[in-house]
Amino acid sequence: MSTTTQDPKSIEKVLDLIKDIHIAMMTTVDEQKNLVSRPMAVIHTDADGSLWFFTKKSSPKVDQIEDNDSRVNIAFADTDNSTYVSVSGTATEVDDRAKINEYWTAEAKPWFPAGKEDPELTLLKVNTEMAEYWDSNSSRIVRLFQMVSGAITGTPPDMGENEKVYN
């Protein structure tokens, strides 16, 4: 595993890994200090690694973010390709109608039937502070062979690239 600090190429790698994973699990901390996760659709990513989501202003996650130092984790998984990404950072509610108009897509309509003018509609922006990823460049057959071989020989399989990226 390697660690990279403020390397734009590493942030690009993280963004490339998550670009086709449209649903992620967002974890916040509730009032009792429980970790609470829910699926969220990423609607936009910035070049600096910031992630954007639509949500409702009255959603418990908005209160949880405001009440608990805005710390969140966003977990991405593409099991078909053995790609996993964990993003840690801070989240803020951004009630910006211009950005809502810019990021609005037809895919958001089922969640917000009143459309982009819905007064409950707001944005969550997650500023990435650290991301870690695991990415296997091998096919499923190769990964399976490595796992079986590892079980027989007692040698951990090489499951691909793992890196921590600090922003």
Side-chain angles (χ1 to χ4, degrees), residues 127-143:
N127 294 305
T128 299
E129 294 174 0
M130 191 275 290
E132 185 169 10
Y133 65 83
W134 299 262
D135 183 31
S136 175
N137 297 324
S138 304
S139 70
R140 261 189 198 192
I141 300 289
V142 171
R143 291 191 309 265

Side-chain angles (χ1 to χ4, degrees), residues 1 16 24-25 32 75 81 88 90 92-93 104 116 119 134 144 152-153:
M1 178 181 76
D16 185 56
M25 294 297 287
Q32 291 79 36
N81 294 306
S88 296
T90 55
T92 54
E93 179 185 0
W104 183 260
K116 56 188 170 183
W134 299 262
L144 180 60
I152 293 169
T153 65

Side-chain angles (χ1 to χ4, degrees), residues 76-157:
F76 297 85
D78 177 354
T79 58
D80 289 341
N81 294 306
S82 289
T83 300
Y84 306 91
V85 179
S86 175
V87 173
S88 296
T90 55
T92 54
E93 179 185 0
V94 179
D95 191 10
D96 180 332
R97 289 291 142 191
K99 284 213 177 295
I100 289 171
N101 286 330
E102 178 182 350
Y103 298 156
W104 183 260
T105 65
E107 289 82 23
K109 182 85 170 158
W111 303 108
F112 302 95
K116 56 188 170 183
E117 301 305 321
D118 187 332
E120 268 288 293
L121 178 60
T122 192
L123 292 161
L124 290 181
K125 179 182 181 184
V126 175
N127 294 305
T128 299
E129 294 174 0
M130 191 275 290
E132 185 169 10
Y133 65 83
W134 299 262
D135 183 31
S136 175
N137 297 324
S138 304
S139 70
R140 261 189 198 192
I141 300 289
V142 171
R143 291 191 309 265
L144 180 60
F145 175 76
Q146 289 177 344
M147 289 171 48
V148 170
S149 175
I152 293 169
T153 65
T155 305

